[in-house]
Short mmCIF file of all heavy atoms in Angstrom, two decimals:
data_model
loop_
_atom_site.label_atom_id
_atom_site.label_comp_id
_atom_site.label_asym_id
_atom_site.label_seq_id
_atom_site.Cartn_x
_atom_site.Cartn_y
_atom_site.Cartn_z
N VAL U 1 -6.81 -36.27 7.64
CA VAL U 1 -7.11 -34.88 7.99
C VAL U 1 -5.94 -33.98 7.56
O VAL U 1 -6.14 -32.94 6.93
CB VAL U 1 -7.41 -34.74 9.50
CG1 VAL U 1 -7.52 -33.27 9.89
CG2 VAL U 1 -8.69 -35.49 9.86
N GLY U 2 -4.72 -34.40 7.88
CA GLY U 2 -3.54 -33.62 7.51
C GLY U 2 -3.39 -33.46 6.01
O GLY U 2 -3.04 -32.38 5.52
N ALA U 3 -3.67 -34.52 5.26
CA ALA U 3 -3.54 -34.45 3.80
C ALA U 3 -4.57 -33.49 3.19
O ALA U 3 -4.22 -32.72 2.28
CB ALA U 3 -3.69 -35.85 3.20
N TRP U 4 -5.79 -33.55 3.66
CA TRP U 4 -6.80 -32.63 3.13
C TRP U 4 -6.41 -31.18 3.41
O TRP U 4 -6.39 -30.34 2.51
CB TRP U 4 -8.17 -32.92 3.73
CG TRP U 4 -8.94 -33.97 3.01
CD1 TRP U 4 -9.07 -35.29 3.36
CD2 TRP U 4 -9.68 -33.82 1.79
NE1 TRP U 4 -9.85 -35.95 2.44
CE2 TRP U 4 -10.24 -35.07 1.47
CE3 TRP U 4 -9.92 -32.74 0.94
CZ2 TRP U 4 -11.02 -35.26 0.33
CZ3 TRP U 4 -10.71 -32.94 -0.18
CH2 TRP U 4 -11.25 -34.19 -0.48
N PHE U 5 -6.12 -30.89 4.67
CA PHE U 5 -5.83 -29.50 5.03
C PHE U 5 -4.49 -29.05 4.45
O PHE U 5 -4.39 -27.93 3.93
CB PHE U 5 -5.85 -29.33 6.55
CG PHE U 5 -7.22 -29.45 7.14
CD1 PHE U 5 -7.40 -29.97 8.40
CD2 PHE U 5 -8.35 -29.06 6.44
CE1 PHE U 5 -8.66 -30.08 8.97
CE2 PHE U 5 -9.63 -29.17 6.99
CZ PHE U 5 -9.78 -29.68 8.26
N GLY U 6 -3.47 -29.87 4.52
CA GLY U 6 -2.16 -29.51 3.96
C GLY U 6 -2.22 -29.32 2.45
O GLY U 6 -1.62 -28.40 1.90
N GLY U 7 -2.95 -30.20 1.78
CA GLY U 7 -3.09 -30.10 0.33
C GLY U 7 -3.75 -28.81 -0.10
O GLY U 7 -3.29 -28.13 -1.03
N PHE U 8 -4.83 -28.46 0.58
CA PHE U 8 -5.53 -27.22 0.20
C PHE U 8 -4.76 -25.98 0.63
O PHE U 8 -4.80 -24.96 -0.07
CB PHE U 8 -6.96 -27.22 0.76
CG PHE U 8 -7.93 -27.85 -0.18
CD1 PHE U 8 -8.05 -29.23 -0.25
CD2 PHE U 8 -8.72 -27.08 -1.02
CE1 PHE U 8 -8.93 -29.83 -1.14
CE2 PHE U 8 -9.61 -27.67 -1.91
CZ PHE U 8 -9.71 -29.04 -1.97
N GLN U 9 -4.05 -26.06 1.75
CA GLN U 9 -3.24 -24.91 2.16
C GLN U 9 -2.09 -24.69 1.18
O GLN U 9 -1.57 -23.59 1.07
CB GLN U 9 -2.68 -25.10 3.58
CG GLN U 9 -3.70 -24.95 4.66
CD GLN U 9 -4.14 -23.51 4.92
OE1 GLN U 9 -3.85 -22.59 4.17
NE2 GLN U 9 -4.88 -23.32 5.99
N ALA U 10 -1.67 -25.72 0.47
CA ALA U 10 -0.64 -25.56 -0.56
C ALA U 10 -1.25 -25.11 -1.89
O ALA U 10 -0.67 -24.29 -2.60
CB ALA U 10 0.11 -26.88 -0.76
N LEU U 11 -2.42 -25.63 -2.22
CA LEU U 11 -3.06 -25.32 -3.49
C LEU U 11 -3.56 -23.87 -3.56
O LEU U 11 -3.37 -23.19 -4.57
CB LEU U 11 -4.23 -26.29 -3.73
CG LEU U 11 -5.09 -26.04 -4.96
CD1 LEU U 11 -4.26 -26.28 -6.22
CD2 LEU U 11 -6.31 -26.94 -4.94
N MET U 12 -4.18 -23.40 -2.50
CA MET U 12 -4.81 -22.09 -2.54
C MET U 12 -3.81 -20.93 -2.75
O MET U 12 -4.10 -20.02 -3.53
CB MET U 12 -5.65 -21.86 -1.29
CG MET U 12 -6.85 -22.79 -1.23
SD MET U 12 -7.97 -22.57 -2.61
CE MET U 12 -9.44 -22.14 -1.74
N PRO U 13 -2.64 -20.90 -2.10
CA PRO U 13 -1.71 -19.81 -2.40
C PRO U 13 -1.22 -19.85 -3.84
O PRO U 13 -0.96 -18.79 -4.44
CB PRO U 13 -0.55 -20.02 -1.43
CG PRO U 13 -1.03 -20.94 -0.40
CD PRO U 13 -2.15 -21.72 -0.99
N ALA U 14 -1.10 -21.05 -4.40
CA ALA U 14 -0.68 -21.15 -5.81
C ALA U 14 -1.74 -20.53 -6.72
O ALA U 14 -1.42 -19.78 -7.65
CB ALA U 14 -0.44 -22.61 -6.18
N ILE U 15 -3.00 -20.81 -6.43
CA ILE U 15 -4.10 -20.21 -7.21
C ILE U 15 -4.10 -18.69 -7.02
O ILE U 15 -4.23 -17.92 -7.98
CB ILE U 15 -5.45 -20.82 -6.81
CG1 ILE U 15 -5.52 -22.30 -7.23
CG2 ILE U 15 -6.61 -20.03 -7.43
CD1 ILE U 15 -6.72 -23.05 -6.68
N GLY U 16 -3.95 -18.24 -5.77
CA GLY U 16 -3.90 -16.81 -5.48
C GLY U 16 -2.75 -16.11 -6.19
O GLY U 16 -2.89 -15.00 -6.69
N TYR U 17 -1.60 -16.79 -6.24
CA TYR U 17 -0.43 -16.23 -6.92
C TYR U 17 -0.74 -16.01 -8.40
O TYR U 17 -0.42 -14.95 -8.95
CB TYR U 17 0.77 -17.17 -6.76
CG TYR U 17 2.01 -16.68 -7.46
CD1 TYR U 17 2.87 -15.79 -6.83
CD2 TYR U 17 2.31 -17.08 -8.75
CE1 TYR U 17 4.02 -15.33 -7.46
CE2 TYR U 17 3.45 -16.62 -9.39
CZ TYR U 17 4.30 -15.75 -8.74
OH TYR U 17 5.42 -15.29 -9.37
N VAL U 18 -1.33 -17.00 -9.04
CA VAL U 18 -1.66 -16.89 -10.47
C VAL U 18 -2.61 -15.72 -10.69
O VAL U 18 -2.43 -14.92 -11.62
CB VAL U 18 -2.25 -18.21 -11.01
CG1 VAL U 18 -2.83 -18.03 -12.40
CG2 VAL U 18 -1.21 -19.31 -10.99
N LEU U 19 -3.62 -15.59 -9.83
CA LEU U 19 -4.57 -14.48 -9.95
C LEU U 19 -3.87 -13.13 -9.73
O LEU U 19 -4.07 -12.19 -10.49
CB LEU U 19 -5.71 -14.64 -8.95
CG LEU U 19 -6.63 -15.84 -9.17
CD1 LEU U 19 -7.62 -15.96 -8.02
CD2 LEU U 19 -7.37 -15.72 -10.50
N GLY U 20 -3.06 -13.05 -8.68
CA GLY U 20 -2.36 -11.81 -8.36
C GLY U 20 -1.32 -11.43 -9.40
O GLY U 20 -1.11 -10.25 -9.68
N TYR U 21 -0.64 -12.41 -9.96
CA TYR U 21 0.42 -12.15 -10.93
C TYR U 21 -0.13 -11.45 -12.18
O TYR U 21 0.57 -10.65 -12.80
CB TYR U 21 1.12 -13.46 -11.32
CG TYR U 21 2.41 -13.23 -12.04
CD1 TYR U 21 3.57 -12.90 -11.35
CD2 TYR U 21 2.48 -13.32 -13.44
CE1 TYR U 21 4.76 -12.68 -12.00
CE2 TYR U 21 3.67 -13.10 -14.10
CZ TYR U 21 4.80 -12.78 -13.38
OH TYR U 21 5.98 -12.55 -14.04
N GLN U 22 -1.37 -11.74 -12.53
CA GLN U 22 -1.98 -11.11 -13.70
C GLN U 22 -2.09 -9.60 -13.55
O GLN U 22 -2.09 -8.87 -14.53
CB GLN U 22 -3.36 -11.71 -13.96
CG GLN U 22 -3.31 -13.16 -14.34
CD GLN U 22 -4.69 -13.77 -14.48
OE1 GLN U 22 -5.71 -13.08 -14.42
NE2 GLN U 22 -4.75 -15.07 -14.67
N PHE U 23 -2.17 -9.12 -12.31
CA PHE U 23 -2.33 -7.69 -12.06
C PHE U 23 -1.08 -7.05 -11.48
O PHE U 23 -1.09 -5.88 -11.13
CB PHE U 23 -3.50 -7.47 -11.10
CG PHE U 23 -4.79 -8.06 -11.59
CD1 PHE U 23 -5.28 -9.24 -11.04
CD2 PHE U 23 -5.49 -7.46 -12.62
CE1 PHE U 23 -6.46 -9.79 -11.50
CE2 PHE U 23 -6.67 -8.02 -13.09
CZ PHE U 23 -7.15 -9.17 -12.53
N ARG U 24 -0.01 -7.81 -11.40
CA ARG U 24 1.21 -7.37 -10.73
C ARG U 24 1.75 -6.06 -11.30
O ARG U 24 2.08 -5.14 -10.54
CB ARG U 24 2.26 -8.47 -10.85
CG ARG U 24 3.53 -8.17 -10.16
CD ARG U 24 4.47 -9.33 -10.29
NE ARG U 24 5.71 -9.02 -9.58
CZ ARG U 24 6.69 -9.84 -9.46
NH1 ARG U 24 6.62 -11.04 -9.99
NH2 ARG U 24 7.76 -9.50 -8.80
N ASP U 25 1.86 -5.94 -12.60
CA ASP U 25 2.44 -4.75 -13.22
C ASP U 25 1.58 -3.50 -13.00
O ASP U 25 2.10 -2.39 -12.96
CB ASP U 25 2.64 -4.96 -14.72
CG ASP U 25 3.66 -6.05 -15.01
OD1 ASP U 25 4.53 -6.30 -14.15
OD2 ASP U 25 3.58 -6.66 -16.09
N LYS U 26 0.30 -3.70 -12.85
CA LYS U 26 -0.61 -2.57 -12.73
C LYS U 26 -0.64 -1.96 -11.32
O LYS U 26 -1.00 -0.81 -11.16
CB LYS U 26 -2.01 -3.00 -13.14
CG LYS U 26 -2.10 -3.39 -14.61
CD LYS U 26 -3.46 -4.00 -14.93
CE LYS U 26 -3.56 -4.45 -16.35
NZ LYS U 26 -2.76 -5.60 -16.69
N ILE U 27 -0.27 -2.76 -10.31
CA ILE U 27 -0.44 -2.26 -8.95
C ILE U 27 0.81 -2.41 -8.07
O ILE U 27 0.70 -2.41 -6.84
CB ILE U 27 -1.65 -2.93 -8.27
CG1 ILE U 27 -1.58 -4.44 -8.35
CG2 ILE U 27 -2.93 -2.42 -8.81
CD1 ILE U 27 -2.73 -5.13 -7.66
N THR U 28 1.99 -2.46 -8.66
CA THR U 28 3.20 -2.61 -7.85
C THR U 28 3.44 -1.42 -6.92
O THR U 28 4.10 -1.56 -5.90
CB THR U 28 4.44 -2.84 -8.73
OG1 THR U 28 4.52 -1.80 -9.70
CG2 THR U 28 4.41 -4.19 -9.39
N ALA U 29 2.92 -0.27 -7.25
CA ALA U 29 3.12 0.91 -6.40
C ALA U 29 2.39 0.79 -5.06
O ALA U 29 2.76 1.44 -4.09
CB ALA U 29 2.66 2.17 -7.12
N VAL U 30 1.36 -0.03 -5.01
CA VAL U 30 0.58 -0.18 -3.77
C VAL U 30 0.57 -1.61 -3.26
O VAL U 30 -0.22 -1.94 -2.38
CB VAL U 30 -0.87 0.32 -3.98
CG1 VAL U 30 -0.92 1.82 -4.22
CG2 VAL U 30 -1.56 -0.43 -5.09
N ASP U 31 1.48 -2.44 -3.75
CA ASP U 31 1.46 -3.85 -3.38
C ASP U 31 1.64 -4.07 -1.88
O ASP U 31 1.02 -4.95 -1.30
CB ASP U 31 2.51 -4.65 -4.16
CG ASP U 31 3.93 -4.15 -3.95
OD1 ASP U 31 4.12 -3.12 -3.28
OD2 ASP U 31 4.84 -4.81 -4.47
N HIS U 32 2.46 -3.26 -1.24
CA HIS U 32 2.68 -3.40 0.20
C HIS U 32 1.41 -3.09 0.99
O HIS U 32 1.14 -3.71 2.01
CB HIS U 32 3.85 -2.51 0.66
CG HIS U 32 3.71 -1.09 0.26
ND1 HIS U 32 3.92 -0.67 -1.05
CD2 HIS U 32 3.37 0.00 0.96
CE1 HIS U 32 3.72 0.63 -1.11
NE2 HIS U 32 3.39 1.06 0.08
N TRP U 33 0.63 -2.14 0.48
CA TRP U 33 -0.63 -1.83 1.14
C TRP U 33 -1.63 -2.97 0.96
O TRP U 33 -2.39 -3.29 1.88
CB TRP U 33 -1.22 -0.52 0.59
CG TRP U 33 -0.47 0.69 1.06
CD1 TRP U 33 0.41 1.43 0.35
CD2 TRP U 33 -0.51 1.25 2.37
NE1 TRP U 33 0.92 2.43 1.13
CE2 TRP U 33 0.37 2.36 2.38
CE3 TRP U 33 -1.21 0.95 3.53
CZ2 TRP U 33 0.56 3.15 3.50
CZ3 TRP U 33 -1.01 1.74 4.66
CH2 TRP U 33 -0.14 2.82 4.63
N ILE U 34 -1.62 -3.58 -0.22
CA ILE U 34 -2.52 -4.72 -0.47
C ILE U 34 -2.16 -5.87 0.47
O ILE U 34 -3.05 -6.46 1.10
CB ILE U 34 -2.44 -5.15 -1.94
CG1 ILE U 34 -3.03 -4.07 -2.84
CG2 ILE U 34 -3.17 -6.48 -2.15
CD1 ILE U 34 -2.78 -4.28 -4.32
N ALA U 35 -0.88 -6.19 0.58
CA ALA U 35 -0.44 -7.26 1.48
C ALA U 35 -0.82 -6.93 2.92
O ALA U 35 -1.34 -7.79 3.64
CB ALA U 35 1.07 -7.47 1.36
N PHE U 36 -0.58 -5.71 3.33
CA PHE U 36 -0.91 -5.27 4.69
C PHE U 36 -2.41 -5.41 4.97
O PHE U 36 -2.82 -5.96 6.00
CB PHE U 36 -0.46 -3.82 4.88
CG PHE U 36 -0.95 -3.17 6.14
CD1 PHE U 36 -0.45 -3.55 7.38
CD2 PHE U 36 -1.91 -2.17 6.10
CE1 PHE U 36 -0.90 -2.95 8.55
CE2 PHE U 36 -2.36 -1.57 7.25
CZ PHE U 36 -1.86 -1.96 8.49
N ILE U 37 -3.23 -4.92 4.04
CA ILE U 37 -4.69 -4.97 4.23
C ILE U 37 -5.20 -6.40 4.22
O ILE U 37 -5.98 -6.80 5.10
CB ILE U 37 -5.40 -4.09 3.18
CG1 ILE U 37 -5.10 -2.62 3.45
CG2 ILE U 37 -6.90 -4.35 3.18
CD1 ILE U 37 -5.50 -1.67 2.33
N LEU U 38 -4.77 -7.20 3.24
CA LEU U 38 -5.25 -8.59 3.17
C LEU U 38 -4.86 -9.38 4.41
O LEU U 38 -5.69 -10.06 5.01
CB LEU U 38 -4.73 -9.28 1.91
CG LEU U 38 -5.39 -8.92 0.59
CD1 LEU U 38 -4.66 -9.58 -0.57
CD2 LEU U 38 -6.85 -9.31 0.59
N LEU U 39 -3.58 -9.31 4.80
CA LEU U 39 -3.14 -10.06 5.98
C LEU U 39 -3.82 -9.53 7.24
O LEU U 39 -4.19 -10.31 8.13
CB LEU U 39 -1.62 -10.00 6.11
CG LEU U 39 -0.85 -10.78 5.04
CD1 LEU U 39 0.64 -10.49 5.15
CD2 LEU U 39 -1.12 -12.26 5.12
N GLY U 40 -4.00 -8.22 7.32
CA GLY U 40 -4.68 -7.63 8.47
C GLY U 40 -6.13 -8.07 8.59
O GLY U 40 -6.60 -8.43 9.67
N VAL U 41 -6.84 -8.06 7.47
CA VAL U 41 -8.25 -8.47 7.48
C VAL U 41 -8.38 -9.96 7.82
O VAL U 41 -9.22 -10.35 8.64
CB VAL U 41 -8.92 -8.15 6.12
CG1 VAL U 41 -10.28 -8.82 5.98
CG2 VAL U 41 -9.06 -6.65 5.95
N ILE U 42 -7.53 -10.77 7.21
CA ILE U 42 -7.57 -12.22 7.49
C ILE U 42 -7.26 -12.46 8.96
O ILE U 42 -7.97 -13.22 9.64
CB ILE U 42 -6.56 -12.97 6.60
CG1 ILE U 42 -6.98 -12.89 5.13
CG2 ILE U 42 -6.44 -14.43 7.03
CD1 ILE U 42 -5.87 -13.27 4.18
N GLY U 43 -6.22 -11.83 9.46
CA GLY U 43 -5.84 -12.00 10.87
C GLY U 43 -6.92 -11.52 11.82
O GLY U 43 -7.24 -12.19 12.81
N ALA U 44 -7.50 -10.35 11.54
CA ALA U 44 -8.57 -9.82 12.39
C ALA U 44 -9.77 -10.75 12.39
O ALA U 44 -10.42 -10.96 13.42
CB ALA U 44 -8.96 -8.43 11.92
N ASN U 45 -10.07 -11.32 11.23
CA ASN U 45 -11.19 -12.25 11.13
C ASN U 45 -10.94 -13.50 11.98
O ASN U 45 -11.84 -13.99 12.66
CB ASN U 45 -11.42 -12.63 9.67
CG ASN U 45 -12.85 -13.02 9.40
OD1 ASN U 45 -13.74 -12.68 10.15
ND2 ASN U 45 -13.06 -13.74 8.32
N MET U 46 -9.69 -14.01 11.95
CA MET U 46 -9.35 -15.17 12.77
C MET U 46 -9.48 -14.84 14.26
O MET U 46 -9.99 -15.65 15.04
CB MET U 46 -7.94 -15.65 12.45
CG MET U 46 -7.82 -16.35 11.12
SD MET U 46 -6.11 -16.80 10.71
CE MET U 46 -5.82 -18.13 11.88
N ILE U 47 -9.02 -13.65 14.66
CA ILE U 47 -9.13 -13.24 16.06
C ILE U 47 -10.59 -13.09 16.46
O ILE U 47 -11.00 -13.52 17.54
CB ILE U 47 -8.33 -11.94 16.30
CG1 ILE U 47 -6.83 -12.24 16.20
CG2 ILE U 47 -8.67 -11.33 17.66
CD1 ILE U 47 -5.94 -11.01 16.23
N LYS U 48 -11.40 -12.52 15.57
CA LYS U 48 -12.83 -12.37 15.84
C LYS U 48 -13.49 -13.73 16.05
O LYS U 48 -14.27 -13.92 16.98
CB LYS U 48 -13.50 -11.63 14.68
CG LYS U 48 -14.97 -11.41 14.84
CD LYS U 48 -15.55 -10.71 13.62
CE LYS U 48 -17.02 -11.01 13.53
NZ LYS U 48 -17.53 -10.91 12.18
#
């Protein structure tokens, strides 16, 4: 159970990083808002 969950929790941010890095130069002016919104939505969903 630990290997499955730990493995995917490590893999998914790496995939997200690659996707986000492609757009990094285009949206650095609002990156803090993106981080705030994404973490807020994810957190609110977990609380819900």
Side-chain angles (χ1 to χ4, degrees):
V1 172
W4 274 100
F5 291 148
F8 271 80
Q9 286 287 11
L11 176 66
M12 293 299 239
I15 293 170
Y17 179 86
V18 170
L19 294 174
Y21 194 80
Q22 295 175 7
F23 304 104
R24 183 178 181 177
D25 295 335
K26 295 172 183 69
I27 52 178
T28 53
V30 293
D31 59 355
H32 53 285
W33 287 104
I34 292 169
F36 170 71
I37 291 168
L38 284 174
L39 291 172
V41 168
I42 293 164
N45 207 20
M46 287 176 71
I47 290 172
K48 180 182 157 206

